[in-house]
Amino acid sequence: MGFAKLSLKGRALKLLAQREHSRSELQTKLSRHVEEGDDLNAVLDELEAKNYIDPERVAASVVHRRAARMGTQRVVQELRSKGLDDELIRATAQALQATELERAHAVWKGRFGGRDIESTSQERARQMRFLAARGFSGDVVRKVLKRAGQPDEEGDF
């Protein structure tokens, strides 16, 4: 007893049921399965017309999944890899930059919260690399490490 082979539309719907995908992601994933007589662009156009593919939902999904642990630069990089347009990426980046310092501090605290940051310059550099690798800007990384050892007076964190 075998299963029938899925059509392009069926494969696309299966992928979209798992998570939000951009049009370019679906095109890349489905292009391997195109057979003679299939029209991939028509399938993708139909899914867009029915609002199954929505770039704004894709961006919101990425932000929801990644923003708590990653900096603006890494989130923007992921949005670009999904083939989203520059205007949407810029708007998303501006929204993320407003909370980047708080997010960076939370990530730092989760990893290094109990350690003394002034113990050695090697430890400080390690913590800076940790935050930079997660896409936080250099300015934000310096602010987090500068304020890390100080008590929370201003309510910034």
Side-chain angles (χ1 to χ4, degrees):
M1 177 183 235
F3 289 101
K5 190 174 178 182
L6 283 176
S7 66
L8 284 179
K9 185 176 179 181
R11 287 179 190 275
L13 290 172
K14 185 176 178 182
L15 289 169
L16 287 169
Q18 294 169 355
R19 69 169 173 84
E20 296 290 338
H21 285 74
S22 67
R23 182 183 176 106
S24 65
E25 279 182 300
L26 286 174
Q27 191 164 14
T28 302
K29 289 181 179 185
L30 295 174
S31 64
R32 302 184 286 241
H33 304 286
V34 174
E35 294 178 357
E36 193 172 323
D38 286 341
D39 188 7
L40 180 57
N41 285 327
V43 170
L44 295 175
D45 288 341
E46 179 185 350
L47 292 174
E48 269 187 327
K50 292 182 178 180
N51 205 23
Y52 291 142
I53 301 173
D54 183 10
E56 290 162 0
R57 276 199 323 257
V58 172
S61 174
V62 170
V63 167
H64 178 73
R65 283 193 332 259
R66 302 283 190 221
R69 296 182 319 272
M70 301 293 170
T72 302
Q73 295 169 358
R74 279 281 292 271
V75 174
V76 165
Q77 178 184 3
E78 187 169 340
L79 292 173
R80 281 198 180 110
S81 73
K82 293 185 179 302
L84 299 178
D85 66 342
D86 288 337
E87 187 60 39
L88 178 60
I89 292 172
R90 255 191 305 279
T92 304
Q94 285 178 345
L96 285 172
Q97 285 174 344
T99 62
E100 187 167 21
L101 184 59
E102 292 83 15
R103 291 182 293 116
H105 185 264
V107 169
W108 176 86
K109 191 173 183 180
R111 173 73 182 217
F112 302 108
R115 297 185 185 177
D116 181 19
I117 65 160
E118 300 298 330
S119 60
T120 64
S121 61
Q122 288 177 333
E123 178 65 18
R124 184 175 176 85
R126 187 170 82 87
Q127 292 178 15
M128 290 177 86
R129 284 191 308 270
F130 172 80
L131 290 172
R134 275 147 188 79
F136 295 105
S137 69
D139 186 41
V140 168
V141 169
R142 283 188 294 279
K143 285 180 183 178
V144 167
L145 292 181
K146 181 179 177 185
R147 296 180 181 178
Q150 300 174 357
D152 187 14
E153 305 166 348
E154 302 170 0
D156 287 339
F157 300 120

